[in-house]
Amino acid sequence: GAKIIHVFYHFARYVMIENMKELSVGTGIPFAEAVMRRPRKMYMAKVRHRVAYSKLLQILQREYFVFQEYRRKAQ
C-alpha cells in the first residue's frame, strides 16, 4: 500500500544520498553541506519531491504488474 511505497521511497533516497557521499570523497565537493541545505524555493523542492515520488510509484507498479504476469504465465 501507500505506506510501503513511502518507506521504499525514503530508503531509496537514503541509499542514493549515501552513494553520492561516497563518490564525492576526495573531489573537494562539500556534499554533506549541499545535501542538508534547505532550498530557497520550497515550492519547487516540494514539486520535485512529488515528481520523484510519483515516478518511483509508477516504476514499482510496473514491476508488480510484470511480476504478476510472469507468475500467471508460469502456472
Side-chain angles (χ1 to χ4, degrees), residues 13 30-49:
R13 183 177 182 272
F31 180 78
E33 294 83 18
V35 169
M36 299 310 163
R37 192 175 298 162
R38 293 185 65 85
R40 292 185 192 138
K41 298 180 182 178
M42 280 305 291
Y43 173 76
M44 286 305 294
K46 288 179 181 179
V47 168
R48 287 187 185 114
H49 173 268

Side-chain angles (χ1 to χ4, degrees), residues 32-70:
E33 294 83 18
V35 169
M36 299 310 163
R37 192 175 298 162
R38 293 185 65 85
R40 292 185 192 138
K41 298 180 182 178
M42 280 305 291
Y43 173 76
M44 286 305 294
K46 288 179 181 179
V47 168
R48 287 187 185 114
H49 173 268
R50 195 73 198 147
V51 168
Y53 187 81
S54 296
K55 265 299 201 205
L56 178 65
L57 179 62
Q58 288 174 354
I59 290 167
L60 292 173
Q61 286 174 335
R62 194 175 311 131
E63 239 178 61
Y64 180 74
F65 175 75
V66 169
F67 178 73
Q68 291 298 325
E69 286 293 310
Y70 175 75

Side-chain angles (χ1 to χ4, degrees), residues 7-31:
V7 169
F8 275 131
Y9 172 76
H10 282 284
F11 178 70
R13 183 177 182 272
Y14 171 78
V15 169
M16 180 188 69
I17 288 172
E18 290 300 315
N19 189 20
M20 289 172 70
K21 281 182 187 178
E22 287 179 20
L23 293 175
S24 69
V25 169
T27 60
I29 300 170
F31 180 78

